[in-house]
Amino acid sequence: MRIIFGDGSVLDTGDPESRERFAGTHGKLLGRIAEIAGRTKSNGTLASRIRDKYRMKNTTGYSLNALVDFDDPVEIIEHLMIGSEGTLGFIAEVTYNTVPDLPCKATALILFHDIEAACGAVPALKSCSVDAAELMDRASLRSVEGKEGMPEYLSGLGESVAALLVEARASDPSGLAARVEEIRRALDRFPKVRPLEFTGIPAEYEKLWNIRKGLFPSVGAVRRTGTTVIIEDVAFPLPRLAEASLDLRNLFVRHGYGDAILFGHALEGNLHFVFKQDFNVPSEVGRYGDFIDELTAMVVRKYDGSLKAEHGTGRNMAPFVELEWGAEAYALMKEIKSVFDPENLLNPGVVINDDPGAHLRNLKPLPAAHEIIDKCIECGFCEVQCPSKDLTLTPRQRIVVYREMSRLTASGESSGRLAALGGAYRYEGVETCATDGLCSTACPVGIDTGKMIKHIRWRETGRLPHAVARAFAGNMSAVTAAVSAMLSVVGVSHALLGTSLMRRAALALRGISGNRIPLWNEYMPRGAGRIPPSRGIGGMPSGKVVYFPSCINRAMGASRDYDEEVGLAHKTVALLEKAGYEVLFPENLRDLCCGMAFDSKGFREEGAMKADELNRALREVSNDGELPVYVDMSPCLYRMKETLDRRLRLYEPIEFMLAFFPERLKFRKLPETVAIHTTCSSAKMGLSSRFRDLAEMCAERVVVPDGVGCCGWAGDRGFTFPELNASALAGLRSGIPGECSGGYSTSRTCEIGLSLHSGLSYKSIVYLVDRCTTPGVTA
Amino acid sequence: MLPGGYSEFFSSLRAFLPPSRLLHDELSRLAYGTDASFYRLIPNLVVKVVSEEEIIRVLAESCRLRLPVTFRAAGTSLSGQSLSDSVLIVLAGAWKRYRINEDASRITLQPGVVGAHANVYLAPYRKKIGPDPASINSAMIGGYRRKQRQRHVLRHGAEQLQDDCLDEDHLR
């Protein structure tokens, strides 16, 4: 472990030299720690109190067991640091011992007549090799019953039923069978509501685990706007778990939290409960305060349990550390804090806090702001997904600021602050949001912050731009032709001027235009030629497919980095024909567009108009969904699935090729390393791993660069706000091995940015599939 | 505009940090004033650091000027432990290095690595890290060390390791 202390000094506990250096500069600190540990060990009552406390899961206060388990002060420090929540120092690096990831798993949802019976079976379970046993009370099960994907029998259960969700893992099937049998025997004597049944089928056990995963969101999603969701985290001695769970339920009811749900890690006696809480009115804050007072008293006095088993003390339990540990142990914790941080400068108020009401102060308001995001509890799960996280704001932060602006607007207070926030929000919040919606895939309640941003853009679009947008929408053929022609001119200039001159000229032009002219780069496509009519293949076609080339691919052709001069639409037709298809196009193709380009900029009506036109044309050419429709851009396809008639059988390239090509084409793995980029739309459709499957049919080695999510190109934002794309793809180049022959994706615009920031030529997966297939059948 | 000693702190940090990583405008302070708990504290200054060297220099200055600091990785903590009304030090962008020893019995991680990513790195070896919190897809190792202390359970309870406990031996 590598630690940086408050004075800036460094200790690497795994490095003898660093230890020695530290002993030289911080001998006094080490001496004090050794002295405290010695004193603690020789205090028999205190030492055994500490040992007793850690028989149970516990994260309340500092890790005092470090004092009784180790003699070397450096080792003591290392273990004190764990769980210290940044109040003793900063851990710059840590080494974990890994555990085996056992591939064979089986899960059972075991239903008991009541929570006492469920808790009563836990000690028997604990004697087996069991990897998890999640307790869920009736309120928990009720919160998810009837929802999509949940087992139907949940709805018909009795009023008091409780469940244990049990998982066993092993390295091979026979080991797993033995473990399942062991559990079955151990639980044989306990009466159950339904016969015990384990499943080893991934789809089935994932369904069962989705019950557990759905609990917290289920409460979050139904709460009243303005309230928050609180999750508590206590632990009891295992033999008294049943009694404690009943006490908790009574406590909920007494304080008006009757709809709380109770669940937890039964094997550790660790219970979580989730309830809704309003912090906007003093009486409600008081109710919460009273509840916590009684909860802490019960957990500590009646059960000698833990007030925070996993989540850490933080500010929330800091006022109760002394209650849980007793005066002597708490004094020890304060002494430890003063040794490392004598002036209380490291995360003050956390873990150690002298204010008995600290847990009721600095409460966060969650005012109503916008129906799309009102359910957000600001958990931050969305942040890692966001392409603008290192440039401007994350989805959570967009919501936080928008809420405050809404609150200021509603209350009329401080118009200066509102103006300051609003002014900065235009760029930080609105302009640099890629509206890709990946945030929704990580959100426990599925919030798509991009949708809120689109809504803001829609609200802000004025009259004049609407007129322009409508003119564009009504003249798509002219637009794509114009773009295509313009790109061709630019492409010729590129060929004449070369890359570096062209880049300088483009920068100058963009500067003169006040950043309104899109920034050129060397991966900009040339204009696409006209879409070829289906030529028909030599033999009889063995099927028909409708191909809708997106407006992007009708306008943008190959770019200079392509190794052949064939635009995607032409390449796609050739590939489909090679697979034996007769290719049909919708009528008036030149005027068709999915409408996303309008919608994402806030031109909602124009977007809807285009979607409607496309819907009619596709229904007609596909005989109302009889023929499959192939779409060559994932983002367009995604929008089409959301907006068009459900009868249409719409296919994304990855989906289509995996579904139909193996029986129509012979794949041969090319001796190459290729990189792939799953677009946000494909990811949202759950195609990330399937894209990999497809690429692996085509090339010997497939690379998915680490930590690259949404590319941030966002339709055309890559042209107008190139810094978003640059920031989102900052880690791309280093994630691509030198031997990579090419990059592949399913969105022409994303590919421009991917090429630019990797130096590798990215193009549609169609080009790779075309290269590695011949007519025939893949075995 | 920065209160008290923060102005001097800001100036001394400007000597080695670009302005884009020293945030004190109204919007940024508000945006960083929240974590997954139900508390809010608005920092006076948000400092984005990309290296250990920078942290050392920032701490030397905050220590000299007696200014309280709080560290943040993913900000997914539930009990209000990654908030500050003074200086919030945010691990920005970097902090994602890792190394795996020869037999994959150990993995060394920087605090910015997301838990689930560590498991992706270990998957080819059929290994994983011990902790398995509900927030594994978003929470970063920096916060794990704060949250996961259950390894101690084992030492004294002689009980079997379970679910999201950290084994005594899982962490060195």
Side-chain angles (χ1 to χ4, degrees), chain A residues 705-732:
Chain A
D706 208 26
V708 176
C710 171
C711 70
W713 187 273
D716 61 358
R717 218 144 280 262
F719 291 123
T720 46
F721 298 95
E723 65 274 28
L724 175 60
N725 188 227
S727 175
L729 294 180
L732 178 62

Side-chain angles (χ1 to χ4, degrees), chain B residues 142-171:
Chain B
Y144 271 54
R145 296 187 313 264
R146 292 191 293 227
K147 276 179 222 159
Q148 305 287 337
R149 261 197 313 177
Q150 301 79 353
R151 57 201 205 83
H152 303 290
V153 177
L154 285 227
R155 178 139 194 113
H156 303 292
E159 315 224 24
Q160 199 193 341
L161 166 72
Q162 301 298 347
D163 197 28
D164 51 357
C165 299
L166 248 178
D167 191 305
E168 167 63 24
D169 290 321
H170 289 176
L171 194 142

Side-chain angles (χ1 to χ4, degrees), chain A residues 231-262:
Chain A
I231 179 164
E232 287 295 341
D233 169 37
V234 291
F236 300 99
L238 201 50
R240 299 184 69 187
L241 190 58
E243 189 189 348
S245 64
L246 292 177
D247 273 346
L248 281 175
R249 176 58 60 197
N250 288 333
L251 192 66
F252 301 157
V253 172
R254 236 182 4 263
H255 288 271
Y257 295 108
D259 56 356
I261 63 169
L262 180 69

